[in-house]
């Protein structure tokens, strides 16, 4: 019975080889028939006829007339009419310029036609690869060979396929015009997949080798595939990548923890991107990243809670690979337009400034990883910390890299936005990290001070400092980087305030000190921008407004209603004074926002009812004090051309005086 099963297995294994051989023989016969038809047409074609010379007829002699010609007077020439003006012909409108395909479209356009013409090669390669993997599984299910022999048989079968493909390539060639076109790639690709499957079987089915040995083996196979891909062409790489991603699907491992597969998928991603960076086959990189994210997500969703860290690390590593491997170094050099500007310009106004393919590929990878890191942290505190730290590291790295890679200018916004959104959502959803912060200090006041919100705010500060460094290096986006620098850390503080309510846990004054520290950081940014820009104080104005906003936020946390109203008025007065001293016209925006806020507090919250019921001291401090602040601010702006700020301060002063 076993012999019959083995015979059936050999027959099944021979089917794809026979199919490939038949197609090769058919292709050879077609070429010979075409050659014979061309030769027959060349022999049957008649010789070109020589043109006969036209026979010239002699001119016929006309009989001479006997009459003597009579002289006639010359007739006057008729007056010539002026020629009508030439009107340009109605030319048809010029046809529109052909649409230039995008980099992704151009990279993938070659895949479909090739598969339509050569689908049988891909099917044959997949059949051979599955035959090699099932060879190992068949031995396990029927107990024909010991585990070591089964794995050795798989490795030997894979090596034999690679050797056969290389022998065919050297003996008959592998070009499109040769009789063995694509056949070396079919055999070598199937051999690569078989080797991957054998190593995975040794690790996950039989536990014959450890994780380090399995990793070394897969790296060695990946290097072999890269070398063969360089020689054989994109088909081998595509077969190897697809088969390597699909190999774990047929293994059916009984292990509950599939986290080693993520390291395996990362190696396959390095393989595909590495070959592409050498040969510049764009669709190979697109295929590699698609498989890496698809299979990685499927595996990560099935991991147990204690292994979620592996999924987080895997998703953070993929964009780094997608950026650095095409750049062939640790410092990317992506040039051309940024992705967002290029796509918007192409869609809105039809310009041709389409970003390059490596830029689009990096943008897609960063966007996918940012989304996955935002949503995938498994509800565990340690995994949440790892996700937040990796988002911060990715944001800072992209900010630093964008100096030498101008096409990456917009990509730090993706993980940066995911970082703030993750902090906010974890607080609102009361994740394990947020619950641990709230319960530890509230239930046990004698416990040590929780540094969770301090560390999270420090992550925002790290991104702001990196953005400030990038802004000080100049460039076309220097102002935008300055805006990001003065907004990111305060935005992180606002996310913590609305999602985590730190003042209820650590107290109002410690939390207000965090806001005051941010104000001090913004003052330092203002000093650096003022020193770098000289008379152009646009960026310094942004930093000053951010510092005043942070101080107002600190006042909101710790002060009562009356004191808060006065404190907000003081920030408006400070903005007017700074504008008077340093000539910062952009502070008009802050003054306008401050006047609106003061009016809201005096009328609505706490409002006029509070003013009627308040004591004389509180009423005097809130309303008369605000009136004095508005008049003082108006006096500071008197010698300056600030019509909007003056109008708003004047209107607010008259209104406040009327309420008094």
């Amino acid at each position: 019975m076993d012999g019959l099963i083995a015979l059936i297995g050999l027959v099944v294994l021979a089917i794809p080889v026979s199919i490939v051989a038949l197609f090769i023989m058919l292709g050879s016969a077609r070429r010979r028939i075409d050659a014979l038809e061309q030769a027959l047409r060349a022999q049957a074609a008649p010789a070109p006829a020589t043109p006969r010379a036209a026979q010239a007829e002699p001119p016929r002699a006309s009989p001479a007339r006997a009459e003597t010609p009579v002289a006639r007077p010359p007739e006057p020439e008729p007056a010539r009419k002026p020629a009508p003006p030439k009107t340009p012909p109605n030319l048809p409108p010029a046809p529109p310029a052909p649409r230039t395909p995008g980099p992704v479209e151009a990279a993938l356009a070659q895949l479909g036609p090739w598969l339509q013409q050569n689908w049988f090669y891909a099917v044959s390669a997949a059949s051979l690869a599955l035959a090699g993997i099932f060879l190992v599984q068949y031995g396990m299910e029927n107990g024909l060979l010991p585990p070591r022999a089964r794995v050795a048989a798989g490795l030997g079968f894979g090596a034999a396929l690679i050797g056969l493909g290389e022998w065919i390539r050297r003996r008959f060639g592998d070009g499109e015009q040769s009789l063995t076109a694509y056949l070396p790639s079919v055999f070598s690709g199937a051999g690569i997949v078989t080797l991957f499957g054998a190593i995975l079987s040794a690790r996950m089915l039989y536990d014959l080798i450890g994780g380090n040995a399995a990793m070394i083996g897969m790296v060695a196979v990946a290097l072999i595939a890269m070398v063969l891909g360089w020689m054989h062409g994109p088909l081998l790489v595509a077969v190897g990548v697809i088969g390597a991603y699909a190999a774990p699907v047929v293994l059916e491992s009984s292990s509950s923890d599939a986290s080693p597969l993520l390291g395996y998928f990362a190696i396959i991603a390095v393989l595909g991107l590495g070959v592409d960076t050498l040969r510049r086959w764009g669709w190979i990189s697109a295929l590699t990243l698609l498989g890496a994210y698809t299979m990685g997500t499927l595996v990560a969703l099935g991991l147990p809670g204690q292994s979620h860290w592996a999924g987080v690390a895997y998703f953070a590593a993929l964009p780094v690979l997608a950026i650095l491997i095409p750049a062939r170094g640790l410092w990317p050099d992506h040039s051309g337009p940024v992705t967002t500007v290029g796509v918007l310009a192409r869609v809105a106004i039809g310009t041709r400034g389409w970003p390059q393919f490596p830029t689009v590929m990096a943008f897609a990878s960063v966007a996918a990883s940012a989304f996955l890191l935002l949503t995938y942290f498994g509800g565990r505190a340690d995994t949440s910390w790892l996700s937040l730290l990796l988002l911060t590291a990715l944001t800072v790295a992209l900010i630093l890299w964008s100096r030498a890679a101008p096409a990456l200018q917009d990509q730090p916004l993706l993980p940066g936005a995911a970082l703030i959104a993750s902090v906010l959502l974890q607080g609102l959803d009361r994740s394990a990290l947020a619950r641990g912060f709230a319960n530890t200090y509230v239930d046990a006041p004698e416990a040590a001070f929780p540094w969770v919100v301090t560390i999270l705010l420090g992550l925002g500060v790290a991104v702001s400092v990196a953005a400030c460094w990038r802004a000080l290096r100049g460039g076309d986006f220097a102002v935008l980087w300055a805006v990001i620098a003065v907004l990111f850390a305060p935005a992180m503080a606002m996310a913590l305030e609305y999602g985590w309510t730190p003042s209820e846990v650590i107290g109002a004054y410690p939390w207000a000190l965090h806001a005051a520290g941010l104000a001090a950081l913004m003052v330092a940014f203002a000093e650096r921008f003022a020193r770098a820009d000289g008379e152009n104080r646009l960026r310094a104005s942004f930093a000053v407004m951010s510092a005043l906003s942070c101080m107002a936020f600190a006042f909101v946390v710790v002060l009562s209603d009356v004191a808060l109203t006065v404190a907000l008025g003081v920030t408006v007065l400070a903005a007017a004074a700074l504008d008077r001293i340093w000539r910062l016209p952009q502070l008009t925006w802050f003054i306008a926002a401050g006047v609106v806020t003061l009016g809201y507090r005096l009328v609505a919250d706490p409002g006029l009812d509070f003013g009627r019921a308040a004591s004389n001291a509180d009423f005097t401090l809130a309303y008369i004090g605000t009136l004095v602040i508005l008049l003082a601010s108006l006096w500071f702006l008197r010698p300056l051309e600030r019509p909007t700020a003056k109008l708003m301060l004047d209107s607010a002063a008259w209104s406040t005086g009327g309420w008094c």
Side-chain angles (χ1 to χ4, degrees):
M1 185 64 181
D2 293 340
L4 179 60
I5 295 176
L7 180 60
I8 294 174
L10 291 176
V11 172
V12 173
L13 185 62
I15 289 176
V17 179
S18 302
I19 292 176
V20 173
L22 289 175
F23 272 108
I24 292 175
M25 295 173 62
L26 180 61
S28 176
R30 286 180 177 177
R31 292 189 183 91
R32 293 177 181 177
I33 292 173
D34 292 341
L36 290 175
E37 289 180 350
Q38 292 178 1
L40 291 175
R41 292 194 190 98
Q43 293 178 1
T50 57
R52 296 181 178 180
Q55 297 179 359
E57 296 181 359
R60 297 178 181 179
S62 57
R65 295 183 178 181
E67 302 88 12
T68 305
V70 179
R72 296 181 180 179
E75 298 180 357
E77 295 182 359
R80 297 181 180 180
K81 297 182 180 180
K86 296 182 179 180
T87 58
N90 295 327
L91 298 177
R99 186 180 68 88
T100 304
V104 179
E105 182 181 356
L108 296 178
Q110 303 174 359
L111 181 58
W114 187 91
L115 287 178
Q116 291 178 1
Q117 299 177 3
N118 305 281
W119 58 269
F120 47 86
Y121 291 112
V123 172
S124 302
S127 301
L128 288 172
L130 291 176
I133 297 174
F134 282 128
L135 176 65
V136 181
Q137 279 195 328
Y138 172 78
M140 177 187 69
E141 294 173 356
N142 295 274
L144 297 179
L145 297 172
R148 295 182 183 275
R150 301 167 198 166
V151 174
L155 294 174
F157 182 67
L161 290 176
I162 294 176
L164 179 59
E166 185 63 18
W167 179 80
I168 294 175
R169 187 184 71 84
R170 292 178 178 272
R171 182 68 180 272
F172 302 102
D174 59 351
E176 295 183 359
Q177 304 301 325
S178 63
L179 298 180
T180 56
Y182 302 117
L183 188 59
S185 299
V186 169
F187 284 110
S188 298
I192 291 296
V193 177
T194 303
L195 292 180
F196 277 126
I199 296 174
L200 281 178
S201 301
R203 175 71 182 99
M204 303 188 68
L205 292 181
Y206 309 120
D207 199 18
L208 296 177
I209 57 178
N212 295 333
M215 193 67 63
I216 293 174
M218 287 186 291
V219 170
V221 176
L223 292 176
I224 295 173
M226 290 179 64
V227 174
L228 293 176
W230 173 269
M231 296 185 297
H232 290 289
L235 173 61
L236 171 61
V237 185
V239 170
V241 167
I242 296 174
Y245 280 128
V249 177
V250 300
L251 285 180
E252 298 180 359
S253 174
S254 60
S255 176
S256 59
D257 186 4
S259 57
L261 286 178
L262 296 177
Y264 165 74
F265 291 147
I267 293 177
I268 304 304
V270 173
L271 161 65
L273 295 172
V275 173
D276 180 35
T277 193
L278 296 176
R279 300 300 297 268
R280 297 303 183 189
W281 296 317
W283 62 274
I284 292 295
S285 289
L287 181 66
T288 300
L289 288 178
L290 179 62
Y293 278 104
T294 302
M295 298 303 297
T297 303
L298 294 176
V299 171
L301 292 177
L303 291 178
Q306 66 272 15
S307 298
H308 281 180
W309 65 268
V312 173
Y314 174 79
F315 293 135
L318 286 181
V320 177
L321 298 178
I323 292 173
L324 294 184
I325 292 181
R328 305 175 185 176
L330 297 178
W331 204 265
D333 56 354
H334 296 62
S335 59
V338 298
T339 304
T340 52
V341 176
V343 172
L344 290 176
R346 181 65 177 269
V347 173
I349 58 179
T351 59
R352 298 187 179 184
W354 193 270
Q356 298 179 4
F357 177 77
T359 303
V360 177
M361 182 179 66
F363 186 88
S365 179
V366 171
S369 291
F371 175 77
L372 291 170
L373 291 175
L374 170 63
T375 57
Y376 179 81
F377 49 83
R380 294 171 56 91
D382 54 350
T383 310
S384 299
W385 274 120
L386 181 61
S387 176
L388 295 172
L389 290 174
L390 290 177
L391 280 172
T392 305
L394 184 59
T395 305
V396 173
L398 287 170
I399 290 174
L400 300 181
W401 285 340
S402 64
R403 184 188 178 189
L408 303 181
Q409 298 283 337
D410 57 342
Q411 299 192 15
L413 301 178
L414 300 173
L419 174 61
I420 295 178
S422 179
V423 171
L424 178 62
L425 293 178
Q426 290 195 45
L428 294 175
D429 294 341
R430 287 294 181 258
S431 67
L433 184 60
R435 291 195 306 270
F437 164 73
N439 298 334
T440 302
Y441 202 58
V442 172
D443 296 340
E446 70 278 1
F449 182 82
W451 294 96
V452 176
V453 294
T454 306
I455 297 174
L456 293 177
L457 188 59
L459 298 181
V461 169
V463 176
S464 286
V465 171
C468 179
W469 175 87
R470 181 65 185 84
L472 292 173
R473 294 303 178 274
D476 296 335
F477 296 89
V479 176
L480 178 60
W481 284 116
V483 173
I484 296 174
V486 302
L487 289 181
F488 196 90
M492 179 67 76
M494 296 302 296
L496 290 170
E497 172 66 19
Y498 285 105
W500 296 61
T501 59
S503 57
E504 297 180 1
V505 180
I506 63 176
Y509 285 99
W511 180 232
L513 289 176
H514 288 72
L518 288 182
L521 178 66
M522 297 301 119
V523 171
F525 287 174
E527 187 274 334
R528 298 308 304 169
F529 290 143
R531 185 186 297 270
D533 297 343
E535 294 298 327
N536 182 10
R537 298 190 177 96
L538 176 62
R539 300 192 296 178
S541 300
F542 294 153
V544 170
M545 283 190 287
S546 180
L548 294 174
S549 301
C550 291
M551 290 304 302
F553 176 63
F555 295 152
V556 170
V557 173
V558 298
L559 297 180
S560 62
D561 290 335
V562 175
L564 177 59
T565 302
V566 176
L568 294 177
V570 171
T571 60
V572 174
L573 179 62
L578 290 172
D579 190 9
R580 171 75 173 270
I581 298 172
W582 298 103
R583 299 297 192 271
L584 303 175
Q586 288 77 20
L587 290 184
T588 298
W589 307 337
F590 183 86
I591 294 172
V595 169
V596 173
T597 304
L598 288 174
Y600 173 78
R601 291 194 59 81
L602 293 177
V603 176
D605 184 17
L608 295 175
D609 294 336
F610 171 80
R612 295 189 188 97
S615 62
N616 292 332
D618 290 343
F619 178 83
T620 302
L621 187 61
Y623 286 85
I624 298 180
T626 300
L627 177 60
V628 173
I629 288 173
L630 294 174
L631 293 175
S633 301
L634 193 59
W635 180 83
F636 274 117
L637 296 180
R638 184 182 57 179
L640 304 178
E641 292 293 333
R642 305 289 186 264
T644 302
K646 290 179 180 180
L647 177 61
M648 297 194 70
L649 289 171
D650 186 70
S651 301
W654 280 105
S655 300
T656 306
W659 296 329
C660 293

